[in-house]
Amino acid sequence: QVQLVESGGGLVQAGGSLRLSCAASGRTFNSYPMGWFRQVPGKERDFVAAISWSDVAAISWSGGSTDYANSVKGRFTISRDNAKNTVYLQMNSLKPEDTAVYYCAAGTGWPIIKYNYWGQGTQVTVSS
């Protein structure tokens, strides 16, 4: 069982930056590929970014294969720190259309990930 808690959301002006964090419970965090999704009211939850699992446990490591939605490529960066059981989403050059509730998730498989665990979400609001 994995529990995920997101943080770091807030209100930012267009062009600004935010870094979201997702803290995970469990001793095998490094074995899970992790993803970020976002959702606006009335719409489906959309994929944002993912990072593969790591065979390097309990060591600070920011490598791994990554994948991004086209809409965020070049602006967002996903990374993980296995020593802290945390995955991050660095968001730069934010746009009003990035406004959403952002969720992190943990799953199995790569590059096709089946997500089994979800956080509660954190709100990101980008003003124009």
Side-chain angles (χ1 to χ4, degrees), residues 31-90:
S31 67
Y32 291 95
M34 301 293 295
W36 285 96
F37 291 74
R38 63 188 182 186
Q39 188 171 24
V40 298
K43 294 190 176 182
E44 293 185 353
R45 192 170 297 186
D46 291 331
F47 169 76
V48 174
I51 187 166
S52 64
W53 63 277
S54 165
D55 59 1
V56 179
I59 295 176
S60 179
W61 181 75
S62 59
S65 298
T66 56
D67 188 23
Y68 296 93
N70 287 335
S71 59
V72 307
K73 280 182 180 177
R75 300 188 298 123
F76 290 12
T77 302
I78 188 171
S79 63
R80 66 190 299 158
D81 188 332
N82 291 333
K84 297 181 179 180
N85 275 19
T86 301
V87 63
Y88 303 99
L89 185 68
Q90 177 66 44

